[in-house]
Amino acid sequence: MTAHPFDRPGDAGTLLADLLAGRLPDARGRFGPFGGRFVPEILVPALERLERGAREALADAEFVAQLGREARDWIGRPTPLTPARRLGEAWGAEVWLKREDLAHTGAHKINNALGQALLARRLGARRIVAETGAGQHGVASAAAAARVGLPCTVYMGAVDVQRQAPNVDRMRRLGAEVVPVRSADATLRAAIDEALRAWVADPEHTFYLLGSAVGPHPYPWLVREFQRVIGREARAQVLEAAGALPDAVVACVGGGSNAIGLFWDFIADEDVELVGIEAGGSGAPGASHAASIACGTPGVLHGAQSLLLQDEHGQVVETESISAGLDYPGVGPEHALLARLGRARYETATDGEALEAFAECCRLEGIIPALETAHAFAGARRLATTRPGARIVIGCSGRGDKDLPSLAARREAP
Amino acid sequence: MSAGARVEDAIRAANASGRPALVAYLTAGFPAPARFADDLRTLARAADVVEIGVPFSDPMADGVTIQRASRAALEQGTTPTSILDALEAMDPRPAAPLVLMSYLNPLLALGVGTLAQRAVRAGIDAVIVPDLPLDEAAPLAEPLARRGVGLVQLATPVTPPERLARLCAASRGFVYAVTVTGTTGGRAAIAPGTLAYLERVRAAARVPVCAGFGIRSAQQMQALAGHVDGVIVGSAIVECLERGEDPAALLEELRAGTEDRR
Ligand SMILES: Cc1ncc(COP(=O)(O)O)c(C=O)c1O
């Protein structure tokens, strides 16, 4: 890897110890060499206020209790850990599904959206803006904004407005304004650009409800804290149901919020393998994909230093995936660190592998997963072939209803 | 000579003749890479300082005009290297000092050391990086300063006083006072409170203070004259070039808005 002026070397052992001791991100928002706060000056005071407000809220027993009540009564937590017996038989493994698809609005995104919306209200924000790729974070934000009584505007790439149409309708019914974004590649990355611009225009009163573990500090930390409930529950549930820790935990990685949430409480369990699955696109030689960790290089996008799909001139390249929620050229800085430390392993699944895994999960388990989630199933299936009998927990990050119209259109296409 | 001194001197020289300096922005490679050197020369004759924008794929601080220009320039193959090559090859050299404006990532890809070296050869006196706040600036500011190239800091209407003092102290060449909360290219009148804000920035800065974002009319120029040392005109020039009009005429008109103040 080339030397990089913003890249701080750090000893892997120390960094892992720091991470486990809760010392990362550090005071400057760094996860070792990654993270930070690379934003227009106008957003710096807003990010500092957000960081202060978030730290106070998370240390306030009343706020934490309120979040817990809302998570139980409105989201429906805890979500189950479902034994996937028929998939397990087919793969020769012991498979467990952490069912975020059963959370209110149908994906893990709601954990973070609720947390941030409660925070927005506590900090006196007048409105919420959010970006969305698959539409799941947009729906979660619209629902959470309605729940706390704040207006919400969602920026969504025009390509995604097409391919995730059911979610556009849901957002609008939940009272949100949906703004199609036509700039850049008209997918998630362009939607983040546009949400940031909306925030730049009103940094004092607008709350940016960022949907993944990406962006400038404090977002990667904040989103992780709100998503950690996934792994905390899953770890207790698997210990209770199987009497032992899993051999591996597998999650799909777009920006990385469901994966970091599921992984976090297992990081200290050295024998538990952590595996993130990125979108491999069509898999054709030379074709675009969204595998930022497998194929990216260090760079700065959307306010943080991380691993990035970019050309030799530092321009962000266009990504390609069947899954709108994974179609993003960057990844959360904490994943970049886990990859560099070797504590988590990242692989890719192609569109075809994801579609196969999607069909298999539908038929064998009676569960229609999101196309994003299907990448995790594809990765877990591959792992099972190399580790017969392994106990695997899969992050079932969301339900696939939103994908059915685009899958039907695909089938009808010549 | 201290970093960014030529830019500072050019602004002070305009002030000495009784008017705010004009800083003209263009996106390199837009409307066409082949026109870059000519457009730059034209602007360098009509303005006191020229700011050269490096196109980026994700210009999050920019409005639709510069987004469109950036995309078109990228599609035509403009890169930091091609811009520096073009600048080095210019003969005669542009008549005004040059400032390079780029988002951080293209500069990281080029390499900070390479940037510092080549900036000097290309006649670039200062650099503006809109997504590099003061707290993260040292790894770029220091190598640039060693070669005499200044790093310009941006101030905004929401910057708290203590922070304003620190970034004004660190800024070289000038302080870029963003006049609006928003992206580039808006068309707001100068808001109440803006002049008081600009005076605060001026009180904190030892280098000149230039106001920018959304400046496109003689009225705005008139309102700002006397309260700033310079004015940055960006999207209005890019739109002028886009329509195939002469940007010098626009700059002339803007300058006329301030000349009576002499
Ligand atoms: C169901 C589902 N899973 C995963 C993702 C990917 O996001 P992340 O990597 O932040 O979990 C999305 C994003 O839209 C999603 O909707």
Side-chain angles (χ1 to χ4, degrees), chain A residues 146-205:
Chain A
R147 181 76 178 166
V148 304
L150 284 170
C152 178
T153 302
V154 180
Y155 294 91
M156 185 170 191
V159 168
D160 296 337
V161 167
Q162 291 294 322
R163 63 177 162 171
Q164 307 278 248
N167 275 343
V168 177
D169 188 43
R170 291 170 79 201
M171 286 182 257
R172 291 192 169 133
R173 285 183 195 283
L174 289 163
E177 179 195 7
V178 181
V179 180
V181 179
R182 296 194 168 76
S183 59
D185 58 355
T187 64
L188 178 55
R189 150 193 161 217
I192 298 181
D193 289 340
E194 207 55 34
L196 283 167
R197 289 185 190 112
W199 197 23
V200 161
D202 180 26
E204 310 251 88
H205 304 299

Side-chain angles (χ1 to χ4, degrees), chain B residues 67-87:
Chain B
Q67 286 176 42
R68 199 166 58 233
S70 300
R71 193 167 173 93
L74 288 174
E75 278 165 3
Q76 297 178 81
T78 306
T79 66
T81 308
S82 76
I83 296 167
L84 291 166
D85 288 346
L87 290 175

Side-chain angles (χ1 to χ4, degrees), chain A residues 4-6 28 30 37-42 44-45 183-184 189 193 196-197 200-201 299-300 310 313-316, chain B residues 55-60 62 67 71 74 79 104-106 108-109 112 130-131 133 135-136 154 158 163 167 181-182:
Chain A
H4 194 295
F6 292 86
R28 301 184 54 206
R30 295 302 181 106
R37 184 178 280 165
F38 298 90
V39 292
E41 176 62 32
I42 200 153
V44 171
S183 59
R189 150 193 161 217
D193 289 340
L196 283 167
R197 289 185 190 112
V200 161
V300 170
Q310 57 186 327
H313 302 292
Q315 304 295 342
V316 180
Chain B
F56 181 47
S57 52
D58 292 74
M60 65 166 148
D62 285 300
Q67 286 176 42
R71 193 167 173 93
L74 288 174
T79 66
L104 182 58
N105 204 53
L108 295 179
V112 167
D131 58 346
D135 328 73
E136 299 281 2
L154 291 95
V158 301
R163 189 171 170 85
L167 64 84
T181 48

